[in-house]
Amino acid sequence: MLKLWRSVRDRLILPLGEPRYFREDEDELARRLKTSDAKLAAALLAEAEELARRPHADAESIDRRATTLQGAVALATTVALASGALLLDPTKLRSEGWRITFAAVVAGVVVAFVASGMRALGASSRTLPWSYPAFEDIFGRAESDVAAAQAARAASLLKTAGLNFRIVELKAGYLNAAVWWFRIALALLLALAILFATYAATTPEEPSAREGRGQRQREGVAESARPIAIATASKSFNLGHLQDAVLNLKAPQTAPYLGHVDNTASGAEKKSTGFRHFCKAL
């Protein structure tokens, strides 16, 4: 049982392995690097310094890629959960089999994205023991000659580089696992899109939905025809009033708009009254 737990733990939390480079102690490395040629000793020291900087540069590159992957995972998970909200509405997916299929695929997408995010978080946020040359070694190198001091400095840098390269390998393992889970999530998203297309193409439309759409179309036609009828009636009404006003000008004593007309009124007053009624009709 304990072995099983350790195996599961090592898969969830990747262990920091043993160094694969420069496993010898610093004295043995210094002995192998020591040379009487000053130029060669300087070149070896420069190469050792470059090797010591490389793990830090590789780790920073992995951290940047892991952070970018975390942002993509967060955005994709939000979209997947939003699409999964359709499953909560039974009117959208009436078939029980389709609902179970969509729910399983959406759950797989979310799990894959969460696993990818967890692995990417381990690559960028896990605290790891970086190694550096001992600060007080400089006093020991001050008591030796130039060639021996350079060889000792190079040996110290190579030793720390070997220890730090295992951290880079650990971060790379987390990042590779995150990318693997991300690819699975993308494949499941593609499967979800295919399921949506298949469902839309094979599922017949409900009769109630067709009736409702037809009712909405009829209501739309009625609503569009109503303003036309109102405009036609208004135009006919205005033309009728215009004709009545013209008749008032011709025969003011019989026009309904004049009311009681005094026969003793002069012709100019009658014409003036008919003109006012004509303007009101307009």
Side-chain angles (χ1 to χ4, degrees), residues 16-204:
L16 189 63
E18 295 295 327
R20 295 193 301 167
Y21 310 104
F22 312 117
R23 296 183 178 181
E24 303 90 338
D25 56 16
E26 292 187 18
D27 293 337
E28 178 63 21
L29 290 175
R31 187 189 65 80
R32 295 175 60 183
L33 291 171
K34 188 176 181 180
T35 178
S36 58
D37 190 347
K39 293 184 179 180
L40 179 59
L44 292 175
L45 179 59
E47 184 177 357
E49 291 175 347
E50 180 64 26
L51 288 174
R53 287 192 295 267
R54 182 176 172 181
H56 296 279
D58 293 344
E60 290 178 0
S61 176
I62 293 174
D63 290 343
R64 287 193 299 269
R65 283 181 285 178
T67 303
T68 303
L69 186 59
Q70 291 174 35
V73 165
L75 181 60
T77 304
T78 303
V79 174
L81 290 176
S83 64
L86 296 175
L87 302 175
L88 301 178
D89 189 359
T91 62
K92 301 296 184 182
L93 295 174
R94 294 181 175 86
S95 175
E96 193 69 22
W98 278 108
R99 292 188 66 187
I100 294 175
T101 303
F102 277 112
V105 176
V106 170
V109 170
V110 173
V111 170
F113 276 133
V114 170
S116 178
M118 292 288 292
R119 288 307 192 185
L121 189 64
S124 62
S125 302
R126 183 176 172 180
T127 303
L128 298 169
W130 290 92
S131 298
Y132 300 94
F135 296 149
E136 297 183 355
D137 288 351
I138 190 171
F139 300 110
R141 290 193 292 271
E143 298 176 356
S144 60
D145 56 7
V146 175
Q150 289 177 336
R153 172 63 176 172
S156 179
L157 291 173
L158 292 178
K159 186 65 177 179
T160 58
L163 294 173
N164 291 335
F165 269 120
R166 59 181 184 160
I167 297 178
V168 175
E169 293 173 354
L170 179 64
K171 285 179 171 289
Y174 273 115
L175 183 61
N176 291 334
V179 172
W180 186 79
W181 280 107
F182 192 77
R183 288 175 178 172
I184 291 179
L186 293 180
L188 291 175
L189 276 180
L190 178 60
L192 185 63
I194 295 174
L195 283 177
F196 272 120
T198 305
Y199 177 80
T202 58
T203 303

